[in-house]
Amino acid sequence: MHRARRNPAAAHPPVTRRAFLRLMAAGAGAGLAAARRTDAAAGWSLAEAARPYRGTTIKAASVTHWANNAVQPLIPEFERETGIKVDFEYLERTALNAKLDVELGAKTGAYDIVHIDVSKVVRYQRAGWVVPLDAFLQTPGLTDPKAPVADFIPPYLKTVTVDGKVYGLPFSGESTAFFYRADLYEKKGVKPPRTMEELDAVNKIIHSGDVPAFAMRAVKGEGLNVFTWTTWLRSYGGQFFDAQARPILDSPQAVKATEEYARLLQTYGPKGVASYRHFEILADFQQEKLASWIDATSLAARINDPKTSRVTERWAMAPVPRGPAGQFPGIYAHAHGIAADSKKKEAAWLFVQWCTSPDVQLRRAAKEGGAGDVTRVSVFEAPEFKKWWSKGNYAEVTLASAKIALPDYRPTFMPEWLEVGDRLGTAIQQVITKERDAKSALAAANTDIARILKK
Amino acid sequence: MPPDPARTDASRRFSPLERTYLWMLLPAVVVLALTVVVPLGLLLRNSLYHWQFSKPWLTGFVGLENYREMLQDARFGASIWRAFVFIASTVAAEVGLALSLAELLSVRVRGMSLVKSGFLLPMVLPPIVVGIMWRIMYHPTLGIVNYFLRFIGLDQAWLAEPGLALFALIAVDVWQWTPFLLLMFLAGYAAIPQELYEAAHVDGANRWHRFRDVTLPLLRALIVVGVLFRTVDGMKIFPTIHIMTEGGPGEATEVMNYYAYKIAFAYSNVGYSSALSFVMFLIAIVVSVGLIRAARRLGAAI
Amino acid sequence: MNLGASLSRTGYWAVLSGAILLFLFPIYWIVAMSLKAPIDVFAMPPVWWFQPTLDSYRELFGDAPTLRYLLNSTLISSLAVVLALLLGVPAAYALSRLQRRWKDTLLFTILCVRMIPPMSLGLPFFLVFLRLGLLDTHLGLALVYLSLNLPLVIWMMKPFFDDVPIALEEAARIDGCTTAQALRLVVAPLAAQAMAAVGILCWVLSWNDFFFALILTREAAKTAPVGITYFIRFEDARWATIAAGATVIALPVVVFSILVRRYLVSGLTGGAVKQ
């Protein structure tokens, strides 16, 4: 339908280092199937399930995030019903990762619940720092039938699944989409672009000195410019690796994709776009200084916030434009995982399940200042949710994009990904700043990446 | 202060007075020894291992392999050069600025002490906040820096241009740490007897001569201490770079310490980053020794 | 002659004002940001006249236990400075008075403590503290700062002690003082300004540390710089609240240095040394 189906075997050849990529693609389905079996138990109650764990205290470490903030007021409910106390520690993402590396590496057992995402799950799993959740999913006494795992938007769940085992329950998820100023578009009589050609044409019409037409992440980083750039790579038919698992980032498709990515930013981007992360893009858009951009869907909530945004009534979203090879929105999810050295795993599980359950997710989204980056299909389709989150087509576009996104959108499953991604990001940024041209930048990056992988 | 010949003796016995001195020295030395020995030992040990969190199956003793790899690591070499440029620029600018400010502020006017307290403010902010605030201020279109520079046509994308980013970071460091040296130098000024100035004035010296012939020589030791500490601290700079540019654009602001951080925390390569850290430590020692020797040759009593 | 004098005086004031403006404008900007409505933080052209609001401060103290973090910071920094002065001042004095060949080597080794990259110190400290139960304690973090402050105290106080002629202590000793008393009653008062300055420096450096506070504390002893990152979120940041946090974090040190500014004034009547 929307995406070009690729042969999984070609993308993930049977080389030892990449074997688990294939296993992941096949195995996540098996994990979900097993979970479905435990759904049926009727008459399950949280208080009953938590009875053996009354009086314990569990410690959680997670990112500072709107989704976590939105759930915080509801936590006392959980504590009352189960008698389990929840101590949360919130840290900014990079600081959190550094701290967790130290704590988990030293096996202090200080945290029962840890933040986990697609860039960490393989590392944590291999180091034995987190436990698969399948054991809990297969224990009827601990599984809430009203919170089925199958209800999670599959790509979100797959981003934290390794070797077919689920290592976290996503509490916040996002895809990427095209955001634009509906009022400007209407004034100029254009519609949001559906293809890359249309994107160029629309930008040309909309662009002006006062309000640049378009921006995307430019700062180097596997979670920064690489995140949105990969849409271009895939859309132009590029790949990260070939059938022999060698990096092919210097292929003609990759070069074309990078040239296009850079050209769009250089031609239609605001001044200094080469230093833009999503922070800067957001600030510009909120202050009416940007006409359109592509980035994470979860940013919609920030545009809607009248305390910081001047364009709360004038924006809309559309799916990312498709390229010659198809349509490839990005994907990312935050999840709660359970630490291997935790002594209160079951209590931790009950909390993780509760705070990602349809009921809690709906309540945290459908309110003033709520967080709409929910991770369950049922919540997206609930009328309550739609009432709060239909503005700008958020609900519709996000769900549609998330559903067709590829979990291995970026090859984050390999242990060297962080280093590889950063090296790639550096090359991309160099092209955007015109420090190097696409061909030489990518060739150099490719050589370096091949060297990194050989180690 | 010339050494008392009666006390400079090579004998192994300590006089009672010296023993008292040693007791006064002991607690500090013990604390420092504990702080230095264990980490350095661990650092050295780890640098001889291959140990990467993401590839635990490769862990093992590899001897000097990490160091060999370092010699071929062009990125490390580049980061050392950038660190050198950064530190040399910031220290020179900070010393010059702090001296000038101390001189300016040494005029005895009512309320001057309040002004002095004001100048201390930049140093008082946590580096992480400084990074965040300056990043906002450097925003190419919405930032306040460019708003002013636009009037003189100098507005640039400071953090986005490979050629400008390092300079932008230097400016922030100078802004933040000049107060550190200023405070040191003000204390030094307070210790200079007024009589010396008065004598110079009687001899017909103007402001500049007084500074050059009275103030500077007496401050020499303190200046060297300031340079030493800023240099050593400059090698450890981290939060500001991380927040403002993350070592970018490209690798334009990736200085030595930031590169080591990436290896350690972003790529989880404990073995290699230990080797890098150890070498950075050695570099710091070499640089400091060089600075102290140069200072002695210039007459500072260190 | 008079024209020259008044020109140079206006020149002096111009330069001083320029310096004040350059240095303090960003501070003003941050404080202003904390008092603006969040939507105005990025307004371009900038909003110069605005209705100040305390919303960001309310958020700062309401959404996170900021007060506790500030108290932690105060406790830890004060402890670290007191210990550093207690251990460092006598050590600096001893190093100034001792005349041994190994003195310079020792002095240099003390400096080396500051050269160890913090990342390399972090993990060992963590492991040792873990075993000693010092993780997430005020004392633990204070000990770390103590070891980082000692070199600064020693290296900065020594030149001041070098400048005090030994004759003064000898006279005191003839009058019956012990060495410690001589240090306390005769020498130290002459170096009071220096001690105040180095005390402030150590306090500020401990107060502002981020890395060790992050690694060695969890929630109980968390300090203000780490706590403020609560407002840096994954998608965006509450800039106005962070600015409020910055202001609040800077305040104690500013107040403290204003209170001790007597010790920072130069050219007081009489210098440090009377011949």
Side-chain angles (χ1 to χ4, degrees), chain C residues 128-200:
Chain C
V128 170
F129 278 17
L130 181 62
R131 215 157 299 178
L132 295 178
L134 281 174
L135 275 181
D136 209 17
T137 60
H138 299 84
L139 179 62
L141 203 50
L143 287 177
V144 175
Y145 296 148
L146 165 65
S147 44
L148 289 174
N149 286 340
L150 272 176
L152 185 58
V153 175
I154 293 176
W155 272 76
M156 186 156 153
M157 291 308 303
K158 180 172 166 300
F160 284 93
F161 288 138
D162 285 344
D163 279 344
V164 177
I166 203 156
L168 286 173
E169 293 142 64
E170 287 178 337
R173 246 175 268 129
I174 289 175
D175 283 346
C177 280
T178 68
T179 317
Q181 281 174 326
L183 169 62
R184 197 161 51 91
L185 299 169
V186 177
V187 182
L190 298 174
Q193 290 99 336
M195 280 203 278
V198 81
I200 295 178

Side-chain angles (χ1 to χ4, degrees), chain B:
Chain B
M1 205 196 82
D4 185 336
R7 297 218 172 87
T8 318
D9 71 311
S11 80
R12 318 257 347 219
R13 295 185 53 230
F14 293 107
S15 71
L17 188 57
E18 281 187 318
R19 251 182 291 218
T20 320
Y21 290 148
L22 286 177
W23 277 110
M24 290 173 119
L25 195 43
L26 194 64
V29 171
V30 164
V31 168
L32 289 174
L34 287 175
T35 326
V36 173
V37 169
V38 171
L40 270 185
L42 263 171
L43 195 63
L44 206 45
R45 187 201 86 111
N46 284 344
S47 72
L48 300 173
Y49 278 71
H50 187 109
W51 183 13
Q52 210 172 344
F53 283 159
S54 49
K55 298 193 204 177
W57 63 92
L58 282 175
T59 309
F61 183 78
V62 290
L64 296 176
E65 182 62 41
N66 284 325
Y67 292 97
R68 252 185 295 248
E69 191 182 326
M70 199 189 310
L71 288 175
Q72 296 174 335
D73 192 344
R75 198 165 158 195
F76 183 52
S79 73
I80 296 182
W81 167 248
R82 279 181 217 116
F84 172 73
V85 169
F86 183 83
I87 294 175
S89 317
T90 51
V91 173
E94 284 163 21
V95 170
L97 214 51
L99 276 178
S100 316
L101 281 174
E103 183 61 32
L104 271 177
L105 293 174
S106 63
V107 166
R108 293 181 52 202
V109 168
R110 236 192 352 206
M112 193 52 96
S113 54
L114 207 56
V115 174
K116 281 178 184 160
S117 310
F119 270 104
L120 296 182
L121 283 174
M123 168 179 73
V124 151
L125 298 171
I128 193 171
V129 168
V130 169
I132 294 173
M133 290 297 138
W134 276 95
R135 192 168 124 205
I136 305 180
M137 293 198 281
Y138 272 136
H139 190 290
T141 40
L142 301 178
I144 194 76
V145 169
N146 270 351
Y147 172 73
F148 285 119
L149 290 177
R150 224 165 281 153
F151 292 124
I152 49 178
L154 270 182
D155 57 325
Q156 302 286 336
W158 294 102
L159 298 179
E161 298 282 337
L164 294 174
L166 196 61
F167 177 73
L169 290 181
I170 290 173
V172 173
D173 194 84
V174 170
W175 175 82
Q176 190 182 15
W177 292 108
T178 303
F180 178 84
L181 294 177
L182 179 62
L183 189 51
M184 251 192 205
F185 295 160
L186 283 175
Y189 265 78
I192 299 176
Q194 271 296 90
E195 293 95 46
L196 291 178
Y197 285 122
E198 283 158 17
H201 186 71
V202 163
D203 283 347
N206 65 16
R207 191 85 185 261
W208 164 248
H209 284 141
R210 286 205 300 262
F211 178 74
R212 190 191 58 186
D213 299 326
V214 178
T215 317
L216 215 46
L218 289 175
L219 275 188
R220 249 202 295 253
L222 216 49
I223 294 179
V224 173
V225 171
V227 167
L228 265 177
F229 272 88
R230 278 313 303 149
T231 304
V232 166
D233 281 351
M235 290 192 223
K236 300 192 290 192
I237 185 176
F238 178 71
T240 28
I241 297 190
H242 183 59
I243 299 277
M244 292 206 281
T245 58
E246 293 197 28
E251 279 165 13
T253 55
E254 193 176 78
V255 296
M256 200 167 61
N257 192 42
Y258 194 76
Y259 179 59
Y261 155 81
K262 275 249 116 137
I263 300 285
F265 285 100
Y267 311 156
S268 307
N269 195 338
V270 180
Y272 189 52
S273 84
S274 301
L276 286 177
S277 294
F278 193 72
V279 167
M280 278 164 49
F281 175 67
L282 293 177
I283 292 178
I285 293 186
V286 167
V287 169
S288 310
V289 169
L291 279 173
I292 294 179
R293 290 237 176 98
R296 291 229 178 95
R297 222 168 301 152
L298 288 173
I302 279 289

Side-chain angles (χ1 to χ4, degrees), chain C residues 42-83:
Chain C
F42 279 116
M44 187 48 62
V47 174
W48 297 109
W49 302 113
F50 56 92
Q51 186 75 270
T53 158
L54 288 179
D55 278 347
S56 302
Y57 288 91
R58 237 167 272 146
E59 200 173 276
L60 179 71
F61 287 101
D63 284 9
T66 308
L67 202 56
R68 179 155 60 82
Y69 297 152
L70 285 168
L71 287 171
N72 284 344
S73 279
T74 312
L75 202 58
I76 294 172
S77 297
S78 309
L79 192 56
V81 168
V82 165
L83 288 175

Side-chain angles (χ1 to χ4, degrees), chain A residues 94 98 123 126 129 220 224 271-272 274-277 279-280 283-284 415-416 418-419 422 426 429 433 435 455, chain B residues 54-55 57 69 135 139-142 155 157 159-160 162 242-244 246-250 261-262 265-268:
Chain A
T94 4
R123 200 158 52 89
R126 282 168 160 250
W129 290 346
K220 61 166 190 156
L224 293 172
K271 185 184 180 130
S275 63
Y276 271 39
R277 269 165 267 214
F279 287 4
E280 282 84 2
D284 272 7
E416 308 92 339
L418 289 178
E419 207 174 334
D422 275 358
T426 304
Q429 193 177 22
T433 59
E435 197 180 328
K455 283 198 284 193
Chain B
S54 49
K55 298 193 204 177
W57 63 92
E69 191 182 326
R135 192 168 124 205
H139 190 290
T141 40
L142 301 178
D155 57 325
L159 298 179
H242 183 59
I243 299 277
M244 292 206 281
E246 293 197 28
Y261 155 81
K262 275 249 116 137
F265 285 100
Y267 311 156
S268 307

Side-chain angles (χ1 to χ4, degrees), chain A residues 63-359:
Chain A
V63 281
T64 49
H65 195 282
W66 287 89
N68 275 330
N69 283 97
V71 168
Q72 238 177 326
L74 302 173
I75 295 184
E77 269 179 44
F78 175 84
E79 292 180 325
R80 266 195 309 268
E81 206 174 323
T82 61
I84 299 174
K85 188 151 169 4
V86 184
D87 275 345
F88 245 108
E89 202 178 312
Y90 298 108
L91 280 172
E92 178 268 330
R93 186 161 170 252
T94 4
L96 178 71
N97 288 346
K99 190 165 175 55
L100 282 181
D101 269 4
V102 174
E103 294 267 2
L104 293 172
K107 298 206 192 327
T108 58
Y111 298 108
D112 305 289
I113 299 174
V114 293
H115 172 261
I116 198 166
D117 68 15
V118 73
S119 62
K120 296 198 294 192
V121 65
V122 172
R123 200 158 52 89
Y124 283 15
Q125 184 253 0
R126 282 168 160 250
W129 290 346
V130 283
V131 294
L133 301 179
D134 302 70
F136 305 108
L137 287 167
Q138 282 153 8
T139 312
L142 290 174
T143 313
D144 182 355
K146 290 207 256 42
V149 165
D151 184 28
F152 283 109
I153 298 173
Y156 287 163
L157 199 61
K158 291 210 192 109
T159 59
V160 286
T161 304
V162 180
D163 289 349
K165 301 211 182 73
V166 177
Y167 283 92
L169 290 189
F171 64 88
S172 156
E174 60 201 29
S175 179
T176 52
F178 182 78
F179 288 79
Y180 63 102
R181 284 275 300 279
D183 58 333
L184 289 180
Y185 273 49
E186 204 179 305
K187 199 157 69 148
K188 301 268 176 136
V190 290
K191 287 221 149 92
R194 280 160 310 172
T195 65
M196 293 295 184
E197 288 81 32
E198 281 182 26
L199 177 64
D200 197 39
V202 167
N203 280 339
K204 207 175 292 196
I205 299 175
I206 295 279
H207 184 69
S208 81
D210 275 340
V211 184
F214 187 63
M216 288 187 289
R217 297 186 194 184
V219 170
K220 61 166 190 156
E222 57 87 22
L224 293 172
N225 62 1
V226 177
F227 182 64
T228 36
W229 170 88
T230 308
T231 298
W232 258 251
L233 176 71
R234 303 289 191 139
S235 304
Y236 280 92
Q239 299 265 27
F240 282 90
F241 300 101
D242 64 8
Q244 278 77 46
R246 285 182 308 226
I248 46 169
L249 291 154
D250 51 355
S251 66
Q253 295 94 335
V255 172
K256 172 104 173 90
T258 313
E259 283 173 348
E260 270 305 296
Y261 193 85
R263 186 186 64 84
L264 283 167
L265 293 181
Q266 288 156 0
T267 325
Y268 305 115
K271 185 184 180 130
V273 69
S275 63
Y276 271 39
R277 269 165 267 214
H278 45 292
F279 287 4
E280 282 84 2
I281 297 178
L282 194 58
D284 272 7
F285 194 69
Q286 284 174 330
Q287 299 289 335
E288 306 173 281
K289 296 268 189 312
L290 184 62
S292 69
W293 44 285
I294 289 181
D295 210 296
T297 53
S298 51
L299 294 173
R302 303 288 73 72
I303 309 177
N304 254 343
D305 178 13
K307 286 218 211 95
T308 52
S309 167
R310 298 190 199 270
V311 298
T312 54
E313 306 297 323
R314 295 179 275 157
W315 66 282
M317 280 165 79
V320 296
R322 43 204 329 239
Q327 187 177 31
F328 297 95
I331 189 154
Y332 179 83
H334 295 278
H336 290 307
I338 298 184
D341 48 12
S342 157
K343 300 202 181 24
K344 304 165 194 152
K345 295 196 182 65
E346 294 81 10
W349 160 254
L350 285 175
F351 178 76
V352 170
Q353 181 183 229
W354 173 85
C355 91
T356 56
S357 67
D359 177 51

